[in-house]
């Protein structure tokens, strides 16, 4: 069974469109994250939710809006997509918010903006 | 703010040779350090971590890392690598913001094993 699953795996779309990426974890964790990995493989956290509450919101354009309907799901909606949004987006989850809870990552969603 | 520097972007080695991937961090508070591995087209997997206690930590597949506070380093080593170790390796430090863990990653080191 996949622990952290993201859909879709690949997303190709035009500039200006709105798109969503879904994430689900079946590990029973209470904390979920979104990371962005750019073309140089650099990974940066975007958001973190604990028990459906937003706890980390990095300097991310407000075109990005995360939503957590329950502890097992964290979706990412992106409005008015731009060329610079092309990247691989990773969802992750952990138990608790401290460093002892190892973060488990999904396989990523590769977003390509034409 | 905490930061991580991985000194080598690429490390090519021959199979069965030893390898060291270097990682230096800067932190003004308690240090929690991690190594993650990313195989092609996959997400990151935790390789090992240092939270406290023994400064030498080991993974199940033969990697080890040593926390060196005086040199602010957490280098990853393996005495004999296999083709299957080919991957991208990321060092990370945990920063706690308002009770929430934020992983700050280094730039990654691509380990390539040649037969």
């Amino acid at each position: 069974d996949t622990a952290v699953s993201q859909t879709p795996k690949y997303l190709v779309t035009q500039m200006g469109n709105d798109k969503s990426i879904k994430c689900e974890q079946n590990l029973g964790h209470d904390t979920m994250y979104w990371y962005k990995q750019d073309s140089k493989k650099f990974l940066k956290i975007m958001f973190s939710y604990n028990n459906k509450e937003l706890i980390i919101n990095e300097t991310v354009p407000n075109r990005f809006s995360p939503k957590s309907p329950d502890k097992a799901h964290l979706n990412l909606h992106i409005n008015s997509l731009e060329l610079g949004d092309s990247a691989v987006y990773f969802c992750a989850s952990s138990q608790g918010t401290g460093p002892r809870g190892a973060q488990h990552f999904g396989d990523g969603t590769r977003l390509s903006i034409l | 703010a905490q930061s991580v520097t991985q000194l080598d972007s690429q490390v090519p080695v021959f199979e069965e040779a030893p390898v060291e991937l270097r990682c230096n961090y800067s932190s003004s508070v308690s240090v929690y350090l991690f190594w993650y591995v990313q195989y092609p087209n996959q997400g990151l997997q935790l390789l090992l971590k240092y939270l406290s206690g023994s400064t030498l930590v080991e993974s199940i597949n033969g990697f080890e890392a040593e926390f060196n506070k005086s040199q602010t380093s957490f280098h990853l080593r393996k005495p004999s690598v296999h083709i299957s170790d080919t991957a991208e390796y990321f060092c990370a430090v945990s920063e706690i913001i308002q009770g929430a863990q934020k992983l700050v990653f280094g730039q990654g080191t691509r380990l390539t094993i040649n037969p």
Side-chain angles (χ1 to χ4, degrees), chain A residues 20-113:
Chain A
S20 292
I21 306 172
K22 295 187 176 181
C23 178
E24 175 181 7
Q25 54 95 2
N26 62 4
L27 296 166
H29 290 164
D30 59 4
T31 307
M32 296 185 73
Y33 312 80
W34 277 112
Y35 287 86
K36 179 180 180 180
Q37 186 175 46
D38 65 22
S39 58
K40 295 185 179 178
K41 298 274 186 174
F42 183 62
L43 262 163
K44 193 167 189 297
I45 190 167
M46 301 171 69
F47 303 103
S48 176
Y49 273 74
N50 175 253
N51 286 315
K52 303 194 298 176
E53 181 184 342
L54 181 67
I55 54 173
I56 292 177
N57 184 349
E58 289 291 279
T59 312
V60 178
N62 57 16
R63 299 182 295 103
F64 290 78
S65 51
K67 280 189 173 53
S68 182
D70 55 58
K71 286 195 306 182
H73 296 84
L74 180 61
N75 304 322
L76 184 66
H77 187 76
I78 316 170
N79 288 327
S80 303
L81 281 157
E82 300 177 357
L83 289 175
D85 298 332
S86 294
V88 182
Y89 292 84
F90 287 100
C91 178
S93 72
S94 68
Q95 182 54 36
T97 55
R100 296 190 181 276
Q103 293 188 21
H104 295 251
F105 285 75
D107 285 343
T109 295
R110 186 175 295 275
L111 174 62
S112 300
I113 311 300

Side-chain angles (χ1 to χ4, degrees), chain B residues 93-107:
Chain B
V93 63
S94 178
E95 186 174 9
I96 306 299
I97 298 175
Q98 295 178 332
Q101 177 190 193
K102 170 185 158 183
L103 283 177
V104 177
F105 287 91
Q107 304 92 319

Side-chain angles (χ1 to χ4, degrees), chain B residues 8-70:
Chain B
D8 306 296
S9 59
Q10 295 187 59
V11 174
V13 294
F14 287 106
E15 196 172 14
E16 297 184 9
V19 70
E20 179 180 78
L21 306 184
R22 296 180 293 169
C23 172
N24 286 89
Y25 67 90
S26 69
S27 171
S28 57
V29 294
S30 297
V31 179
Y32 308 105
L33 293 158
F34 305 80
W35 274 101
Y36 279 83
V37 58
Q38 184 179 26
Y39 298 105
N41 298 316
Q42 293 186 28
L44 280 73
Q45 299 173 35
L46 179 66
L47 197 56
L48 45 76
K49 61 183 177 182
Y50 170 79
L51 301 180
S52 63
S54 173
T55 57
L56 185 65
V57 289
E58 298 176 352
S59 73
I60 57 172
N61 56 355
F63 283 94
E64 64 178 30
E66 185 159 20
F67 169 58
N68 188 319
K69 189 173 181 179
S70 62

